Amino acid sequence: MTIGENIMPAAFVLPVPVATAIAPPDLADSTLLDVDPDAQMSLGAVEVDSRHDVTYATVELPGGARRELKLDILRPATDDRLPLVVHLPGGAFLRCNKAMAFEARRHVAESGFVVASVEYRVTADGATFHDSVRDVRAALAYLRSYADDFGIDPGAVALWGESAGGHLAALTGVTDGLPEFSAASDPAPPGQVQAVIDAYGSSELSAIADDFDEAARLHYRQEATHFSAYLGRPGSPFPEILDEVRAADPAGYATASAPPFLFLHGSEDMLVSSSQTQHVHQALRAAGADSTRYVLNGANHGDVAFLGRANTGLPWTSATTMGIITGFLHRRLDRAGATDR
């Protein structure tokens, strides 16, 4: 399994267009990364312990039904307290499968982190982006509360998301402390996230096809998509709900106090324009925050095997790409939590 694998099952029909033409990425403020897909990340050098289906919250869905939200944990088999990396899987805000990207998560865990893969509410649950952010905050609060049980250093926490999870990681990272994105029961003060990784995430949803062919751009201008429901306005095309688009855009909350960010995007992403991560990257830099962005040359939207394109995920699990991810985490988290150990 590779990073981003099984965003949708093979039989799933994506309810939005796939690009047939893609504009070259703007590299003015980013680094183009050539990776060898045959040189893959290492696995198995470190023994890893796992915990599955840990319930971190119970939420009420529209109509009164209740749902348990769960997470899976991977960590090296050691008694040391380790930095926490919260992984947020993709799924186009339509579904959320915490089992995704298992091997990539294991690689990060073997590198010296507690990795928690978190499920969060999506449109199938009647949720909006506010609900998803609150779920991530609830998971963070739960993991801090049980830091002793899981061997977590609560002073060293990162968010790592892919696709829709990348959007959610970025939005959670920049809205830390804002009451509209926090549950009333969350007692955590601001500043509880020390780093954010956004891999091929969306941001300004109305511009999600800006790098694509005219047919794809026209679809988003004229048609209501499932994204509209996630913004709280089902059935409305983007031009009618620009206030909601702005409210869900991480760039609009960028400040100098935002945690350090790492963005990664594929130059051949056919589902989310690469300018989506650049949009947030530029806003963070303009605000005075620390942000770094890489564009993987020739890479698509994670592993888009559900569209019949085999092995497209290999650049994302290459030794080079995963080395950038783990290197960023060590630089930001080892230093962040050093005084708490």
Side-chain angles (χ1 to χ4, degrees):
M1 189 182 297
T2 55
I3 190 169
E5 185 175 6
N6 293 330
I7 293 174
M8 298 292 171
F12 184 84
V13 178
L14 199 70
V16 292
V18 174
T20 58
I22 304 171
D26 179 0
L27 298 171
D29 52 15
S30 306
T31 300
L32 184 66
L33 190 66
D34 286 307
V35 301
D36 179 0
D38 293 328
Q40 287 288 290
M41 63 185 178
S42 61
L43 283 175
V46 176
E47 184 180 354
V48 171
D49 293 333
S50 62
R51 298 268 301 270
H52 296 283
D53 293 329
V54 177
T55 299
Y56 73 85
T58 302
V59 294
E60 184 172 329
L61 305 180
R66 297 182 68 79
R67 178 188 169 190
E68 291 184 342
L69 296 174
K70 299 183 179 183
L71 55 84
D72 293 343
I73 292 178
L74 297 172
R75 59 159 294 133
T78 172
D79 293 332
D80 294 341
R81 282 186 178 266
L82 299 173
L84 170 66
V85 178
V86 172
H87 179 263
L88 305 175
F93 307 115
L94 289 165
R95 55 192 291 129
C96 177
N97 179 4
K98 61 183 172 56
M100 287 172 57
F102 173 80
E103 291 189 354
R105 289 187 285 115
R106 171 159 184 157
H107 175 82
V108 172
E110 288 186 20
S111 301
F113 302 95
V114 179
V115 181
S117 186
V118 172
E119 61 183 16
Y120 52 87
R121 282 172 289 173
V122 291
T123 54
D125 303 304
T128 70
F129 63 96
H130 283 108
D131 298 315
S132 297
V133 173
R134 291 174 188 135
D135 292 344
V136 177
R137 295 209 189 287
L140 288 170
Y142 174 87
L143 290 163
R144 289 191 197 97
S145 297
Y146 291 91
D148 291 344
D149 293 347
F150 298 122
I152 292 169
D153 176 357
V157 178
L159 300 174
W160 167 30
E162 301 168 340
S163 192
H167 187 145
L168 182 55
L171 188 58
T172 304
V174 294
T175 58
D176 195 12
L178 297 183
E180 63 268 35
F181 289 95
S182 301
S185 59
D186 183 4
Q192 299 299 297
V193 173
Q194 283 71 49
V196 178
I197 300 173
D198 177 349
Y200 44 92
S202 53
S203 56
E204 185 182 14
L205 289 170
S206 61
I208 197 170
D210 273 12
D211 301 340
F212 300 159
D213 53 277
E214 179 60 21
R217 295 195 301 271
L218 190 63
H219 176 90
Y220 282 103
R221 287 198 297 267
Q222 294 181 341
E223 304 293 333
T225 68
H226 70 282
F227 295 125
S228 303
Y230 196 62
L231 295 173
R233 292 286 301 276
S236 302
F238 284 135
E240 297 178 6
I241 53 173
L242 293 182
D243 287 345
E244 288 80 0
V245 169
R246 283 188 287 270
D249 182 357
Y253 303 93
T255 65
S257 61
F261 269 72
L262 171 64
F263 293 97
L264 303 113
H265 217 122
S267 67
E268 301 300 318
D269 193 315
M270 59 198 299
L271 293 179
V272 175
S273 293
S274 68
S275 56
Q276 289 281 286
T277 50
Q278 186 180 38
H279 170 65
V280 189
H281 171 61
Q282 290 177 337
L284 287 163
R285 283 194 164 186
D290 184 337
S291 182
T292 303
R293 181 173 178 266
Y294 290 92
V295 176
L296 274 64
N297 194 19
N300 207 319
H301 191 79
D303 181 352
V304 290
F306 66 95
L307 292 177
R309 291 164 174 82
N311 298 324
T312 58
L314 293 179
W316 292 102
T317 51
S318 70
T320 299
T321 305
M322 295 306 297
I324 287 173
I325 288 174
T326 56
F328 172 80
L329 291 170
H330 278 296
R331 286 193 304 275
R332 300 307 180 186
L333 299 189
D334 290 353
R335 186 167 55 200
T339 58
D340 297 320
R341 294 195 179 95

